[in-house]
Amino acid sequence: MRRKEPYQNRIELLQGTLDMLILQTLQWGPQHGYGICQALRANSGDVLQVETGSLYPALHRLERQKWVSAEWKQTDSNQRAKFYRITSTGKKQLSSDQHRWEQMVEVIARIMQAIPEGEGS
Amino acid sequence: MIRWKRIFHYRPGDTELNEELQTHLRMGIAERVERGESPEKARKAVLREFGNLLLVEEVTREQWGSRSLEAFGRDFRYALRQLRRHPAFAMTAVVMLALGIGANTAVFTVFQQVVLQNLPASHPHRLVLLSQDSASHEGSWSTWGDEKLYFSYPAYVALRDGNRTLDGLAASAFSPVNLATKESAEKGIAEYVTGNYFGVLGIRPVLGRLIEPADDRLHAGNSIAVLSDSYWQSQFGGDPSILDRIIRINGQTFTIVGVVRYHGLTNEYVPSLFVPISMQNAVMAGRDGDRDRLTDPLFYWITLIGRLKSETTQETAEQELNSIWLDWHRSQIPLLHHGAKFQKEWLQTKLSLRDGSRGLRFLENSLGDPLRVLFWMVGIVLAIACGNVANLLLIKASSRRRELAVRHALGAGQWQLCRQALMEGLLLGVLGSAGGLFFGTIALPVILGMIPQTNVLKTALSQHLDWRVLVFAMSLGLATSIVFSLSPALASMRTDPLLALHSASRAVMDRGSSLHGFLVACEIALSLVLLVSAGCVALTLYRLRTVNLGFTTGHCVTFMVDASALGKQIPQVRNEYESIDSALRRIPGVRSVSYSAMDLLSGEENGGDITVQGFAESGPPVFPDRDWITPNFLPTLQIPLLAGRNFSAQDSETSQKVAIVDEAFVRHYFGGNIQAALDGQMAQGGNNPKPDIQIVGVVPSIHAISLSHDADGPMIYLPYAQSWNNHRSHPASFYIRSAANPNQLAVAIRAAVLQVDKDLPIIGLGTMQEKVDDSIFQQRLMAMLACIMAGLALLMSTVGLYGVLSYAVAQRTREIGIRIALGASRKSVSLLIFRRLFLLVGGGLLAGVPLTWMSTRILASIAKLTGNTGWLFPASGMLMLLVCGLAGLLPTRRAASVDPTQALRAE
């Protein structure tokens, strides 16, 4: 029997954030899974290596929530691939995700930069 | 749609998702190759980077939420595979469950007919039955059940016309009638209904029209009849040209105007037809003397059913009807010339409303208790089946302990293992339900065939299986499957992989086998309960069958004819009966022929009030049963004459009216003094008419009405020859005593009757013994079912015991091998197994004794058990010991024949 717990844990860690990153990537146009993977890596300056075990579940989750739509098309190199395209609800979701993300970054930054009272005196 | 496809057509490497992932891999490889890596190396690197392809696939598919369904499908296939791999186990389990569920379903079928069925009316929940609670007991009752539900016709009219809270109030009454058409004649039941009856119930005809208010005018009703669907089917084969044909009811002509799919207000008596209530006089002419039921305020004979208006509550309606009720009672006082005591009681009366959605539930009164007992019995059988299947599953699970432990160690969750065990149980349960329904459909026609035509169950059970029965069987299957698979499921969760993998782990097994033992002991206890209960019921039946009827049933054939029901005139009827009588006498081998007006053992009473000279009733009124007999009646049925003389040919229409009475009559009216009785004179009817009948003989009391009916009700016999003037209806039940073969006799009898009148239908031709059996059919069915249940229980617990013992021997093979190797004799090994056997059986029996005692007490209180049943305990106990000992024989012999070297090598 296969165990699945480790992957589930990792998905949970990145959940939401990864969705946002994928939606953000798709803003530039329809893309297939491999392309998204490469784009994320390139855009993060080779820092972020998204696991396929996280990426594909995330893509299918987004598809099910109708935030992206999917379509089989030929690539430039004449290969059949499943292309994902962000939908209008996906765009709305992205902007709200982005807003929340910014808020969170701000809040976390504030906490991390705050000088504890005891230390300050 | 797509999702279903995903579940059922999923094959790894064959889906869109797989293709998508493969594309990903190809792209990765292509890129690396482009960068100059060798294809082989690139492939390895990409695969390494990608991780577990199958796992990614699974997790991704999970996103679609179909996993639980898919897992369900997987568990289902796994369970199916398990059952296929152990066909003997699967068969045993399914057959046991099917028997248990089938028995329950059968009883439920009857139960829902008797107790749950609503009237086929529109909005039945708004129907109410009227019930009265009165202090006065003055008057006459003609009831078929609960007296409180009966009203007089004038009271009905007052309630019907006075109320504003009901959407109509209807009345109905039943009576047995003789029905005759050109083709046939038979006994039936007529329901007298008011003109608004079908309107109030909201019932439509299937053919023609129903009885309408215009048909029902007091003393001027229309002579029309509406047939019930079942009578139409059985007598006329559903012939649609039946309308406007003539049917004779007690000799009166009625025109058939319609057919209705409706079986009357009560489920106990299925009416053949419905007639306007205003025709009651015409149908029952002469039965009540000079009293008129339709105008007599003190004659209680109709039941009232009304429909609440949608905006009224039951309370408001009750209030309104009560005020009308009291007003009517006050208005009647000046008309009823009775004393002050009566007037006081007359006004102490209250009306209440009862739920009428199921009509008059008289059948529930007579069948409810036997059904409840049966429900308990089939429930116990199902419990035993459950215990057995649980045991089988446990045993199977422990033989798979290693497998489970391995799967557990490989990462199968406990919940998953438990789920699979439950799924296996569920599958068994569903198969068991299906099997149960299958048994049911086989068994029902068999049971139906045994029910005599006259029994009400015949109609009740002839209905098709309806969805409620199906739902019941299925939910029973599911519920039981959860019950019996719970313990194996929990056991699977308790599995400690390490321990199980180490060895066959006997330590854990012992705990398991004590559970097996417990279940088997429970089964044995329950079987004892059923055995003793069934014994009690069968014994009661035996006593009933061997009860002294007071007349001889052997070598006696009976049948009934009713020439008067065909509308013939009295001289002709009389002529025919006398011709039949002499024609029957001429049949070779016939020793004696007689006929009487009453049908013996038919359950019908024919009581009426009488006046005996010099006797004043002190207690509640007694209505002696009456029968009109020919002089040969007493000799034919071998009823001895205690004193006085028998009737003779000299007792004719014109001679002195005479009567023969029974011992109970003498006890009641003459204080047991037979001589005084022989000088006594009496008259039919109350109100002290002039005594004109001379008592000439005394006979012992007999069970004339039915076997279970007490024989101590007073009975009067009158000469058939003196009955002609009194009535219009003259049925004749013939009794023929002959040593000839009953079948040959029947042919001869038919020929003899046909010779006299080729149009005269012969009803119920058969031996008296058959008649006795038919009359106690309900008790016989009950006893038979009880015995079947007990047999099933015994069989199942024996199978269970056998299984557990075999398993114990298999488990202890190694231990037994060591014992034998160390010098233990075969005998001591056998004793080892037998000790376990007797511990189980003995424990079960001990636990069963108080349970059984309790259940027989309950049984005695509701099923009218008679006689001493104490000896049934030890007898049943011995039987169980014997059968269980036999069940243990094979495992014990197997234990004794264990070969030590093989047993030790096997580990």
Side-chain angles (χ1 to χ4, degrees), chain B residues 831-846:
Chain B
L831 271 176
L832 202 68
I833 301 300
F834 250 87
R835 208 177 58 202
R836 179 151 169 79
L837 169 77
F838 280 107
L839 261 168
L840 288 179
V841 179
L845 288 182
L846 274 183

Side-chain angles (χ1 to χ4, degrees), chain B residues 352-366:
Chain B
S352 52
L353 297 180
R354 295 193 200 173
D355 171 28
S357 58
R358 277 170 268 170
L360 302 165
R361 289 151 65 188
F362 294 153
L363 192 55
E364 201 181 328
N365 299 341
S366 62

Side-chain angles (χ1 to χ4, degrees), chain A residues 10 21 26 79 88 90 92 95 109 118:
Chain A
R10 249 180 276 183
L21 295 180
L26 289 179
Q79 267 198 335
S88 53
K92 269 183 222 144
S95 69

Side-chain angles (χ1 to χ4, degrees), chain B residues 19 146 224 294 323 360 410 573 626 708 717 721 736 774 828:
Chain B
E19 197 183 332
D146 189 351
I224 57 156
L294 292 171
S323 73
L360 302 165
L410 288 181
V573 173
R626 284 168 294 188
S708 45
Y717 301 91
I736 302 111
D774 283 359
S828 66

